[in-house]
Amino acid sequence: MIYNKGVKFISFTPLVFMDKDLNISILNDIYGSLLTQNRREVIGSYYDCDLSLGEIAENCGISRQAVRDSVSKAKESLLDYEKKLGFKAKLDKIVKDLKLCLCEDDIGRLKKKLEEVINSI
């Protein structure tokens, strides 16, 4: 956890999201360590802690526009990382395949499907 001027930046993804993109929060969980510390803190505060641009600006001692630029550039970087590396897409496919396995009643077919999932990793 990072403390900045008395505000705690938390590095978890809460279940409640208003109008913000959950996908960006997930990408931040996956690729956030590739961002600069400042961008990681700002985008985490914006998406995970649901702080407004103004609140983040006040906490960090920078302008609202600087926060907006930082969020925008961090979001762009996260989307670019996913486009190039595709870890979230791979994870989504594995989860989808495992959910299909949960619906399987026959043990033999279940084992075969699980082997397919394991081999796809």
Side-chain angles (χ1 to χ4, degrees):
M1 287 184 234
I2 301 164
Y3 295 88
N4 189 4
K5 295 190 180 182
V7 175
K8 185 163 62 171
F9 294 91
I10 305 170
S11 63
F12 71 95
T13 307
L15 298 176
V16 178
F17 285 88
M18 304 303 258
D19 295 325
K20 296 178 183 172
D21 190 357
L22 175 61
N23 190 49
I24 298 300
S25 184
I26 293 169
L27 292 176
N28 189 38
D29 288 344
I30 296 170
Y31 302 113
S33 61
L34 299 175
L35 299 173
T36 65
Q37 182 177 351
N38 179 50
R39 286 190 182 161
R40 188 171 49 249
E41 288 176 7
V42 168
I43 204 163
S45 296
Y46 185 71
Y47 285 100
D48 296 341
C49 298
D50 200 31
L51 296 179
S52 70
L53 298 176
E55 291 170 324
I56 298 168
E58 185 178 320
N59 293 338
C60 295
I62 57 177
S63 70
R64 184 183 178 284
Q65 184 62 42
V67 172
R68 184 177 178 279
D69 290 344
S70 186
V71 167
S72 177
K73 288 176 183 175
K75 181 178 176 180
E76 183 180 318
S77 294
L78 292 172
L79 292 170
D80 189 50
Y81 295 143
E82 176 58 19
K83 182 179 177 182
K84 290 178 180 175
L85 301 172
F87 291 138
K88 183 181 179 304
K90 291 173 187 171
L91 179 63
D92 289 345
K93 183 183 180 327
I94 292 168
V95 169
K96 179 184 170 190
D97 291 345
L98 289 174
K99 285 181 180 180
L100 289 174
C101 289
L102 290 175
C103 299
E104 189 58 61
D105 293 333
D106 181 31
I107 296 295
R109 287 190 301 222
L110 174 62
K111 285 182 179 180
K112 184 178 178 182
K113 284 184 179 183
L114 287 173
E115 285 177 9
E116 290 172 4
V117 172
I118 290 169
N119 291 331
S120 73
I121 298 175

